[in-house]
Amino acid sequence: MGKIKTFLIVVMAVISANTIAYAQNNKMQKKVLITYFSATGTTAQAAKRIANVTGGDLYAITPVESYTGADLDWQDKQSRSSVEMNDPKSRPAIKGTKENIADYDVIFIGYPIWWDLAPRVINTFIESHDLKGKIVIPFATSGGSTLAGSATALKKSYPSLNWKEGRLLNRADEKTIRTWIEKLGF
């Protein structure tokens, strides 16, 4: 009975060690930052799922002035979001910058899609940080748009950045996100 007990303990230890090694190997080997702007919490949830899959750090892009429900009323041409999105030069102020951004290899940038574009606060973030030499991956959430228009506009505005294929993550679970990230080669 003692040999069987010892054998089972050894088998359990080997399984545990292999499970830990598998989990560590399936996290990105590069230092990852998941930045995101979320007006209603939807994009924040997608960012958290990416962090769970990659083991990356989360950083919320926070505007100095929070958006209210009235600010987000896309049907009101005088709402804050409408005014900002109709002005390509608009750069809403953000609370600080991400320290030590140079330490990261991969930067995910998440946002809700407004008017088929990234909100202008994303431009503020990109222009406030040196992302050259980083792998930059957009992700978004949307009630009706695809990622294509916003990703194309970002790539056109910041052609010197190393953009990779982004993804719309409406209701995406961790398995879907893992598949996307593996497809990117990470």
Side-chain angles (χ1 to χ4, degrees), residues 9-82:
I9 290 171
V10 169
V11 168
M12 296 292 279
V14 168
I15 290 172
S16 294
N18 286 338
T19 300
I20 291 167
Y22 178 79
Q24 290 172 339
N25 286 336
N26 283 306
K27 296 289 183 186
M28 284 187 152
Q29 300 300 316
K30 298 179 180 294
K31 182 100 168 132
V32 177
L33 178 65
I34 301 96
T35 63
Y36 65 93
F37 164 67
S38 188
T40 64
T42 304
T43 306
Q45 291 303 316
K48 289 175 188 171
R49 286 188 205 101
I50 293 172
N52 288 340
V53 169
T54 63
D57 298 331
L58 285 169
Y59 178 75
I61 301 167
T62 308
V64 168
E65 183 182 341
S66 296
Y67 289 86
T68 66
D71 291 336
L72 299 173
D73 184 356
W74 59 274
Q75 295 177 322
D76 177 359
K77 293 183 186 216
Q78 298 307 310
S79 73
R80 179 176 161 203
S81 59
S82 295

Side-chain angles (χ1 to χ4, degrees), residues 134-153:
K134 313 287 182 202
I135 295 169
V136 183
I137 306 168
F139 69 95
T141 56
S142 175
S145 297
T146 66
L147 180 72
S150 66
T152 298

Side-chain angles (χ1 to χ4, degrees), residues 129-181:
H129 295 82
D130 182 6
L131 303 181
K132 288 190 177 117
K134 313 287 182 202
I135 295 169
V136 183
I137 306 168
F139 69 95
T141 56
S142 175
S145 297
T146 66
L147 180 72
S150 66
T152 298
L154 287 172
K155 290 173 186 177
K156 183 178 178 185
S157 294
Y158 308 101
S160 65
L161 298 182
N162 182 14
W163 294 97
K164 297 297 180 193
E165 182 182 348
R167 175 114 191 216
L168 191 66
L169 295 178
N170 292 345
R171 296 172 291 285
D173 59 15
E174 286 186 21
K175 181 180 179 189
T176 301
I177 291 169
R178 187 179 322 282
T179 301
W180 165 52
I181 290 170

Side-chain angles (χ1 to χ4, degrees), residues 87-135:
D87 178 4
K89 295 185 186 308
S90 176
R91 297 296 183 267
I94 57 176
K95 293 181 181 177
T97 57
K98 172 64 176 139
E99 293 182 17
N100 304 323
I101 203 151
D103 295 346
Y104 294 93
D105 305 302
V106 178
I107 312 286
F108 285 86
I109 299 179
Y111 50 88
I113 297 175
W114 292 357
W115 292 261
D116 201 36
L117 299 170
R120 304 291 183 205
V121 73
I122 296 300
N123 299 87
T124 305
F125 173 81
I126 292 171
E127 292 168 12
S128 301
H129 295 82
D130 182 6
L131 303 181
K132 288 190 177 117
K134 313 287 182 202
I135 295 169

